[in-house]
Amino acid sequence: MRNKVIAGNWKMNKILAEANQFTDDVVKKVPSNDNVESIICAPFPFLSSLVEKTKGTKVKIGAQNMHFEEKGAFTGEVSPVMLKDLGVTHVVIGHSERREHFAETDETVNKKAHAAFKHGLTPIVCVGETLEQREANETMKHIEKQVRKGLEGLSEEQVASTIVAYEPIWAIGTGKTASSEDANEVCTHIRNVIKDAASEDTAEKVVIQYGGSVKPANIDELLTQSDIDGALVGGASLEAESFLALVEAGTK
Ligand SMILES: O=C(CO)COP(=O)(O)O
């Protein structure tokens, strides 16, 4: 049985005091069950403080992006070495907003996935189709390409510990959730692609999250699906009570 993994992606929201308050509230009430993991993916300036606040607790801290190089002349960038040094455990890679606004490609996603493992970070690799692609029946082909290229060259062990987040772009921040059956169909496809690219054993270990307008009211149904092992949540992860309700759903 795979654990459920609930990750909040705050995107570019909150100031430090709000981030600290949220984390204090969550740490106090987070379920202690071993079958669910909770991760807060926060903006870079808050990471150090949040890592301190979550030390010795079940809450992990993730970044929302990083560069694939260890150091150098990359003004404004943050390296995997810096994240690891702070105590960050996870990093979101290839979010559709980064692909759209910051020229992230399958190639840079792949470089970042390799860099994450090299430095002991767990990548949350995001994939997802646009509305146009869905309407043109290109979803499965597009997702397969993103998964294959994103995970290319990783060892079986690395693939097994990658978290893949399926986030249909048309469902992000729009209030439109994919039906749990449609979401599961793509998550099953992702697992089959990994089966083919790696092995059945490896594919069975990969945690696959769904993301796109997930909230306490719809997470239960999503998590009952065979290949949905958790959620990557934007808007509904911004309030502690809501985030805790999502994590609680993962314990069932
Ligand atoms: O992009 C997302 C998480 O990475 C989803 O955002 P929303 O939950 O706000 O739709």
Side-chain angles (χ1 to χ4, degrees), residues 5-7 39 124 163-167 187 190 207-211 227-232:
V5 182
I6 309 299
I39 309 160
I124 302 175
I163 298 174
V164 178
Y166 167 55
E167 300 203 308
C187 292
I190 291 170
V207 166
I208 302 178
Q209 297 175 317
Y210 168 77
D227 285 296
I228 301 180
D229 309 314
L232 182 57

Side-chain angles (χ1 to χ4, degrees), residues 37-240:
E37 294 169 42
S38 50
I39 309 160
I40 301 168
C41 300
F44 293 128
F46 312 153
L47 294 175
S48 174
S49 173
L50 303 194
V51 166
E52 282 306 312
K53 287 186 173 292
T54 51
K55 272 206 176 124
T57 78
K58 281 194 57 77
V59 182
K60 305 262 174 57
I61 301 300
Q64 298 172 12
N65 177 43
M66 65 175 192
H67 199 280
F68 48 81
E69 293 289 351
E70 292 175 17
K71 61 179 179 174
F74 301 100
T75 301
E77 289 293 317
V78 169
S79 83
V81 176
M82 296 171 190
L83 296 178
K84 183 66 185 172
D85 178 56
L86 288 182
V88 165
T89 54
H90 292 73
V91 57
V92 177
I93 290 176
H95 191 281
S96 59
E97 288 150 16
R98 296 216 55 90
R99 292 180 191 255
E100 185 184 348
H101 304 301
F102 302 97
E104 194 85 79
T105 63
D106 289 334
E107 193 186 345
T108 58
V109 167
N110 183 247
K111 284 185 178 171
K112 290 179 183 192
H114 280 273
F117 281 116
K118 183 169 179 203
H119 297 286
L121 299 163
T122 300
I124 302 175
V125 175
C126 301
V127 297
E129 81 285 4
T130 61
L131 187 58
E132 293 70 35
Q133 287 169 324
R134 174 153 285 260
E135 285 173 348
N137 273 326
E138 288 169 0
T139 299
M140 297 304 189
K141 198 176 81 193
H142 177 70
I143 298 292
E144 172 162 5
K145 179 175 134 287
Q146 287 187 319
V147 171
R148 282 191 188 274
K149 293 203 167 179
L151 306 185
E152 204 168 71
L154 295 178
S155 69
E156 293 250 345
E157 199 185 331
Q158 289 170 337
V159 173
S161 48
T162 299
I163 298 174
V164 178
Y166 167 55
E167 300 203 308
I169 295 168
W170 48 271
I172 295 177
T174 57
K176 285 186 203 161
T177 327
S179 73
S180 46
E181 290 78 16
D182 285 351
N184 193 52
E185 192 186 4
V186 180
C187 292
T188 303
H189 177 62
I190 291 170
R191 206 176 298 287
N192 285 335
V193 169
I194 296 172
K195 218 174 268 181
D196 188 59
S199 68
E200 176 150 13
D201 190 43
T202 296
E204 286 306 321
K205 291 181 185 150
V206 177
V207 166
I208 302 178
Q209 297 175 317
Y210 168 77
S213 300
V214 176
K215 45 188 184 280
N218 61 21
I219 192 166
D220 286 337
E221 204 193 322
L222 288 160
L223 293 185
T224 58
Q225 298 292 321
S226 60
D227 285 296
I228 301 180
D229 309 314
L232 182 57
V233 188
S237 76
L238 289 169
E239 298 297 332

